[in-house]
C-alpha cells in the first residue's frame, strides 16, 4: 500500500531546520554556508524520514531533494556513528555523486561522520582507502559500488539507510538490474528513500517491491503545469547554419549568468564549445569522450564561475546541480518530454527564475510536436527565427545591434591558407606541368612518350606502316 500527501502553495510561515527537528550542529553547519530556510520538499520529507518511514519524494529538479534525505540520514546515524558503511546513496552519474557527497560533507562539518564518493573513472585505491578509513556514508554510482562489493572491499551487510536519488534517470540509463542487485546486497530491515522528478510505472513497481508502505510526497504548485512556473520558455524554429550566431547573441542578453547549452552528440558539444571560445565566450565542454578528470575540471570551472558557459550532452549533464544557472539553451530538440524537463530544470533552481530557449530544426518538427502535446506547451509550430529577427532581441532582452562575436574570428593557420589558396585544384591540374619532371626540368622525349603511352594520348603516325616481321618471327 502506498500512502500519499500533497503540499500546495499557500501563504504559510516558513519553518526553520531546527523546527523540523534537525540537530543544532547540522543547522549551524548549514547556516555557515548561508542555508537557513528549508524548501517545501525538505519540510515534507525531513519529519517523516526522522521517524524511520520509507519515502517516495517527488519534486521537480532543483527543489532541494538532497537535503530532504541527507539531513535525516546524517542525524539518524548519530553524532559519532560506528565506523563502517551504514548508509548508501545511489545516483545515476559521477557528477551527481560528487555533488551529493559535497552537500553531505557540508552538513557533517561539525561531527566526525565520514562520506566516501565511489564512482567509475577514478582509481580504486583512493576510494578503497576512504572505505577502509571507516566512512559511514557511501555515495556512488551502481557499477563501481557493485565492483567494490564483489572485490570484498565494500561491505553492504550493515546498511541501515538506502537512498535512490534521481531514480527515474537511473532507470532511463538502464541501471535497473544493478539497482536490484544493490537491494539484494543490503538488509531487508533498512529504511529506503526514493527521490525522483517524475514517477513512471517502473518507479512505482520498484517501490512496491523494495519499500515498506512508503509515503509518497508530491510537491507541486496548484498553478503550475508540467514545467516549472518560474522558468520562462521560448521556442524558435532555427536554421543550423545560423545557430552559432544566434547563440552568440543570446549569450549577450541582459542579466545572463551561467548558461548550459545542450547538444545531441559528443562531437557536436565539442564543436559548439570550440566555436563559442573562438567567438570570445568563456565556454567549456562536458561529454562522454572526455576523461573523468577533464569532466571534473570542467564542472569545477563552471561552478566556480571561471567558465560561465557549459556545453554538454544529455547524459553527461544529468548530474549538473548548480543553483545559479540563469539560461538553458537546447541547441537541439530533446529526445522526449522527460529529457526536456530534465534539461530545462537546470535553471530556475532553489527559488530562482530562469530562461529556457529551444531550437527546433526542420527535421525535428515531428518530435517537437510530440513533446509539445505531452507537456501542453501550446506551441506546435515554433516561429521561424534568425539571428537578426527582431522578436529574438525583444524576447530575451538582447541589446540592439548586438553581434554574435566578442572578438574577430581566429586567423587560419598559414599551412591551411597555402594549401587552399596556392595548392593545385583537384581535377584541374596545370597541363604545362605535365611536360616537366619532379625537379622542374622539361621532360625528355622518352619520358614524354612514356607518359603519352600510359595515358593513351599518343597518335598514330600518318601513312601506312611497313610490317617487318611475320607471325613466326622471321623477316618479311
Amino acid at each position: 500500500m502506498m500512502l500519499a500527501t500533497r503540499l500546495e502553495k499557500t501563504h504559510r510561515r516558513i519553518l526553520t531546520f531546527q523546527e523540523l527537528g534537525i540537530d543544532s550542529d547540522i543547522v549551524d553547519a548549514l547556516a555557515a554556508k548561508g542555508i537557513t530556510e528549508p524548501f517545501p520538499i525538505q519540510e515534507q520529507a525531513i519529519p517523516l524520514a526522522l521517524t524511520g518511514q520509507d519515502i517516495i519524494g517527488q519534486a521537480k529538479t532543483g527543489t532541494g531533494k538532497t537535503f530532504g534525505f541527507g539531513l535525516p540520514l546524517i542525524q539518524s546515524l548519530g553524532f559519532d556513528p560506528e565506523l563502517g558503511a551504514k548508509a548508501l546513496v545511489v545516483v545515476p552519474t559521477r557528477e551527481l555523486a560528487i555533488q551529493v557527497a559535497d552537500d553531505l560533507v557540508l552538513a557533517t562539518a561539525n561531527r566526525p561522520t565520514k562520506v566516501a564518493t565511489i564512482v567509475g573513472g577514478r582509481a580504486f585505491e583512493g576510494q578503497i582507502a576512504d572505505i577502509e578509513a571507516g566512512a559511514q556514508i557511501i555515495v556512488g554510482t551502481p557499477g563501481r559500488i557493485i565492483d567494490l562489493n564483489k572485490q570484498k572491499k565494500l561491505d553492504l551487510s550493515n546498511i541501515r539507510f538506502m537512498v535512490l536519488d534521481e531514480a527515474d534517470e537511473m532507470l532511463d540509463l538502464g541501471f535497473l538490474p544493478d539497482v536490484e542487485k544493490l537491494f539484494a546486497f543490503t538488509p531487508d530491515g533498512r529504511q529506503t528513500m526514493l527521490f525522483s522528478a517524475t514517477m513512471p510505472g517502473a518507479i512505482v513497481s520498484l517501490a512496491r517491491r523494495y519499500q515498506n508502505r512508503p509515503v509518497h510526497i508530491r510537491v507541486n504548485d496548484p498553478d503550475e503545469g508540467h514545467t516549472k512556473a518560474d522558468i520562462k520558455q521560448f521556442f524558435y524554429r532555427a536554421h543550423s547554419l545560423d545557430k552559432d550566431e544566434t547563440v552568440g547573441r543570446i549569450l549577450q542578453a541582459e542579466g545572463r549568468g551561467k548558461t548550459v547549452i545542450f547538444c545531441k552528440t559528443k562531437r557536436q558539444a565539442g564543436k559548439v564549445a570550440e566555436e563559442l571560445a573562438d567567438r570570445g565566450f568563456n565556454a567549456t565542454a562536458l561529454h562522454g569522450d572526455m576523461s573523468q578528470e577533464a569532466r571534473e575540471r570542467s564542472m569545477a570551472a563552471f561552478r566556480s564561475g571561471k567558465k560561465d558557459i557549459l556545453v554538454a550532452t544529455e547524459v553527461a549533464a544529468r548530474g549538473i546541480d548548480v543553483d545559479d544557472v540563469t539560461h538553458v539553451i537546447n541547441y537541439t530538440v530533446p529526445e522526449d518530454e522527460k529529457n526536456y524537463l530534465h534539461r530545462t530544470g537546470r535553471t530556475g533552481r532553489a527559488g530562482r527564475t530562469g530562461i529556457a530557449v529551444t531550437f527546433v530544426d526542420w527535421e525535428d518538427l515531428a518530435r517537437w510536436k510530440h513533446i509539445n502535446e505531452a507537456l501542453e506547451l501550446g506551441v506546435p509550430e515554433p516561429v521561424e527565427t534568425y539571428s537578426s529577427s527582431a522578436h529574438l532581441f525583444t524576447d530575451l532582452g538582447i541589446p540592439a545591434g548586438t553581434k554574435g562575436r566578442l572578438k574577430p574570428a581566429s586567423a587560419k593557420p598559414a599551412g591551411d591558407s597555402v594549401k587552399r589558396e596556392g595548392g593545385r585544384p583537384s581535377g584541374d591540374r596545370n597541363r604545362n606541368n605535365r611536360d616537366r619532371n619532379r625537379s622542374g626540368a622539361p621532360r625528355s622525349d622518352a619520358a614524354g612518350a612514356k607518359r603519352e603511352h600510359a595515358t593513351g594520348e599518343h597518335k598514330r603516325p600518318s601513312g601506312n606502316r611497313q610490317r617487318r616481321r611475320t607471325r613466326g618471327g622471321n623477316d618479311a
Side-chain angles (χ1 to χ4, degrees), residues 311-428:
V311 187
T313 54
E314 186 79 55
V315 174
R318 290 193 177 210
I320 297 174
D321 187 13
V322 180
D323 289 341
D324 52 349
V325 172
T326 62
H327 288 63
V328 165
I329 300 174
N330 289 317
Y331 197 86
T332 53
V333 173
E335 288 300 315
D336 54 35
E337 66 276 11
K338 288 190 294 183
N339 286 341
Y340 179 85
L341 291 175
H342 283 302
R343 285 187 182 189
T344 57
R346 299 305 109 189
T347 187
R349 302 172 71 85
R352 296 178 173 88
T353 58
I355 291 174
V357 178
T358 300
F359 295 151
V360 181
D361 294 336
W362 292 89
E363 60 269 23
D364 291 332
L365 275 174
R367 181 149 34 105
W368 170 251
K369 287 179 180 178
H370 169 76
I371 295 173
N372 174 69
E373 291 173 4
L375 299 180
E376 301 174 356
L377 298 173
V379 189
E381 298 238 354
V383 61
E384 189 170 355
T385 304
Y386 298 89
S387 58
S388 57
S389 297
H391 62 267
L392 178 73
F393 286 73
T394 55
D395 286 349
L396 302 174
I398 303 171
T402 298
K403 301 298 181 184
R405 281 189 174 275
L406 299 180
K407 68 176 186 179
S410 300
K412 297 294 181 184
D416 286 353
S417 61
V418 169
K419 286 182 181 178
R420 293 186 181 185
E421 295 174 13
R424 292 180 303 184
S426 60
D428 187 25

Side-chain angles (χ1 to χ4, degrees), residues 7 15-17 20 22 30 35-49 59 62-72 195 217 219:
L7 180 68
L15 300 175
T16 65
F17 285 109
L20 294 176
I22 297 299
L30 298 176
I35 304 170
T36 57
E37 296 179 353
F39 292 120
I41 185 67
Q42 297 164 1
E43 289 186 9
Q44 290 289 94
I46 288 173
L48 284 170
T63 53
K65 296 190 289 290
T66 301
F67 285 142
F69 64 76
L71 301 188
F195 284 77
I217 301 170
V219 180

Side-chain angles (χ1 to χ4, degrees), residues 49-63:
L50 287 173
T51 67
Q53 173 70 53
D54 281 7
I55 291 173
I56 299 175
Q58 183 181 357
K60 291 181 172 64
T61 303
T63 53

